[in-house]
C-alpha cells in the first residue's frame, strides 16, 4: 500500500478520515503536530492555513507516495491555489469530505480540487 499524506484546512475532516481508514473509533481530536502512521500522514490544518508553515507541508509530501488534498463539501472558499499541486512532484488526489451535509456543494468542491491539479476526486462522509 502506498503512503498517503492528507492536507487541508482545520476541520476539513482529515483526522476523522484517518480514524475511519484505520478502523478506529471516530472522535474529535485536534491534530497538534504531524502524525505519521504506517501508511497515513495526518497534518494540522494550520500548516495549510499559514504561509510560513506551508513550506513544511511541501517537505512532508516527500515522505509519501500520494498526496491527498482534503476539502469539506460545505467550504465557502478554497485555500488551494490553481495548479498548486505541481510542487508536490507526486500523484495528487482530491478528497471531498462531509458530502452528505445539508448545504453541501460537492460539485463546487470537486471543481476547486480539479483546478488545484488533483488527478482523481473521491467523495466521503463519516
Amino acid at each position: 500500500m502506498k503512503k498517503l499524506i492528507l492536507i487541508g484546512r482545520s476541520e476539513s475532516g482529515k483526522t476523522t478520515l484517518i480514524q475511519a481508514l484505520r478502523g478506529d473509533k471516530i472522535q474529535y481530536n485536534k491534530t497538534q503536530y504531524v502524525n505519521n502512521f504506517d501508511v497515513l500522514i495526518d497534518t494540522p490544518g494550520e500548516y495549510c492555513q499559514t504561509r510560513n508553515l506551508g513550506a513544511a507541508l511541501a517537505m512532508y509530501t516527500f515522505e509519501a507516495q500520494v498526496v491527498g488534498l482534503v476539502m469539506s463539501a460545505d467550504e465557502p472558499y478554497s485555500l488551494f491555489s490553481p495548479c498548486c499541486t505541481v510542487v508536490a512532484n507526486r500523484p495528487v488526489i482530491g478528497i471531498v469530505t462531509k458530502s452528505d451535509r445539508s448545504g453541501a456543494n460537492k460539485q463546487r468542491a470537486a471543481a476547486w480540487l480539479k483546478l488545484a491539479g488533483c488527478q482523481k476526486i473521491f467523495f466521503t462522509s463519516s
Side-chain angles (χ1 to χ4, degrees):
M1 182 174 210
K2 294 184 178 183
K3 193 165 211 173
L4 170 68
I5 184 169
L6 297 180
I7 298 172
R9 75 163 194 85
S10 296
E11 300 179 14
S12 63
K14 299 178 304 293
T15 302
T16 302
L17 178 59
I18 285 182
Q19 290 171 353
L21 289 172
R22 295 184 70 213
D24 296 340
K25 179 182 175 191
I26 295 178
Q27 57 187 6
Y28 179 75
N29 291 323
K30 174 67 185 107
T31 303
Q32 299 293 325
Y33 50 87
V34 176
N35 293 312
N36 200 335
F37 301 105
D38 292 337
V39 294
L40 299 166
I41 302 173
D42 189 10
T43 61
E46 290 79 9
Y47 281 42
C48 186
Q49 294 168 237
T50 308
R51 182 175 174 86
N52 293 339
L53 295 174
L57 280 179
M59 296 303 292
Y60 275 106
T61 62
F62 292 108
E63 293 188 24
Q65 287 80 40
V66 179
V67 175
L69 298 185
V70 180
M71 180 177 288
S72 173
D74 57 3
E75 292 284 346
Y77 58 89
S78 175
L79 285 179
F80 303 117
S81 301
C83 302
C84 69
T85 61
V86 296
V87 298
N89 198 23
R90 302 273 187 274
V92 181
I93 61 171
I95 303 167
V96 178
T97 60
K98 305 176 186 179
S99 58
D100 62 343
R101 281 196 170 175
S102 64
N105 191 336
K106 299 186 297 188
Q107 283 65 36
R108 180 178 63 190
W112 282 338
L113 290 169
K114 285 180 185 176
L115 185 62
C118 296
Q119 298 162 351
K120 282 187 173 182
I121 308 293
F122 298 91
F123 298 93
T124 65
S125 174
S126 61

